[in-house]
């Protein structure tokens, strides 16, 4: 069956949270350095904070592998409390989107006592702004140290896009990446998705990736409501 442009656009992007796929840059270097030294975290606690798409899940996944940590979404925390194994580090993701406050407070205490070697929490906003009401937890969050991730700069986004396209063996015309930078979502996920969709569409059209290809992909996202 011949591939159509629509078939190409429907292919999902792959998430690669390996350490090899992580690109270090000014936007994430400080946070990565902090995460490399969990033994220095006050009370064995740390928050990893950054905007959507900045790489929190990727960096947390690398940290979890390095520290043999269990990764849980904040929304599922309460249901897993009885199954948590002592002396196991934890990553709790998206705490600012809602979490059982009693369960989180209990984890704070267990980390402070050393029962949890290291507890890493991820969120889009800083701990003092998380929507919690439990007074003792509020005071803990105000004192919680955090590492900030920032949006990738143009140089890092360019390196990411060049690597994604090179890995796919996709020929690209000069100026395409410069065209994309001010028009795309500034995230690792968007880079991967753009590279994949541009490559597939270029294969269908039997052409290198050009500005016209990039524009068509961006326009298709705008029409369907996808992030770009």
């Amino acid at each position: 069956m011949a591939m159509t442009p629509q078939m190409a656009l429907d292919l999902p992007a792959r998430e690669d949270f390996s350490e090899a796929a992580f690109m270090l840059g000014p936007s994430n270097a400080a946070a990565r350095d902090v995460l490399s030294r969990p033994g220095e975290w006050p009370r064995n606690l740390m928050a990893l904070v950054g905007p959507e798409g900045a790489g929190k899940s990727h960096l947390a996944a690398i940290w979890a592998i390095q520290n043999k940590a269990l990764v849980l979404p904040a929304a599922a925390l309460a249901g897993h409390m009885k199954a948590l194994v002592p002396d196991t580090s934890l990553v709790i993701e998206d705490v600012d989107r809602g979490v059982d406050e009693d369960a989180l407070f209990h984890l704070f205490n267990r980390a402070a006592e050393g029962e949890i070697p290291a507890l890493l929490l991820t969120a889009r906003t800083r701990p003092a702004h998380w929507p919690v009401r439990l007074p003792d937890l509020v005071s803990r969050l105000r004192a919680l140290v955090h590492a900030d991730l920032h949006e990738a700069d143009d140089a890092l986004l360019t390196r990411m896009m060049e690597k994604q396209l090179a890995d796919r063996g996709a020929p690209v015309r000069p100026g395409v990446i410069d065209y994309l930078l001010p028009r795309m979502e500034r995230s690792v996920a968007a880079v991967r998705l753009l590279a994949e969709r541009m490559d597939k569409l270029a294969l269908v059209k039997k052409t290198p990736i050009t500005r016209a290809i990039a524009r068509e992909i961006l326009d298709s996202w705008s029409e369907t409501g996808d992030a770009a």
Side-chain angles (χ1 to χ4, degrees), residues 94-217:
D94 300 322
V95 181
D96 58 327
R97 295 183 178 180
V99 65
D100 184 286
E101 296 182 23
D102 290 326
L104 184 59
F105 183 69
H106 184 56
L107 288 187
F108 271 47
N109 289 336
R110 291 173 65 177
E113 293 166 2
E115 184 179 346
I116 297 174
L119 175 60
L120 177 63
L121 311 172
T122 73
R124 296 163 299 171
T125 57
R126 293 181 174 181
H129 299 139
W130 296 352
V132 301
R133 296 184 178 182
L134 190 65
D136 287 339
L137 183 57
V138 170
S139 64
R140 297 285 183 89
L141 292 180
R142 287 174 179 167
L144 180 59
V145 178
H146 61 271
D148 289 320
L149 279 173
H150 304 285
E151 287 186 341
D153 59 21
D154 283 357
L156 183 56
L157 285 174
T158 297
R159 286 168 51 208
M160 290 178 180
M161 183 65 75
E162 287 174 344
K163 184 178 187 305
Q164 288 290 317
L165 294 174
D167 287 348
R168 301 182 69 89
V172 56
R173 292 279 173 80
V176 172
I177 297 177
D178 289 339
Y179 171 81
L180 287 169
L181 289 176
R183 298 170 173 84
M184 61 179 281
E185 177 187 301
R186 305 180 69 81
S187 72
V188 177
V191 169
R192 291 195 189 105
L193 192 56
L194 274 168
E196 180 166 325
R197 292 188 172 184
M198 289 191 302
D199 181 36
K200 293 298 182 182
L201 185 57
L203 287 172
V204 169
K205 292 178 176 285
K206 299 180 180 179
T207 177
I209 295 174
T210 63
R211 287 194 184 192
I213 293 288
R215 187 181 304 114
E216 186 168 342
I217 296 300

Side-chain angles (χ1 to χ4, degrees), residues 45-58:
L45 297 164
M46 182 61 61
L48 179 61
V49 177
E52 194 76 26
K56 295 186 297 297
S57 291
H58 193 165

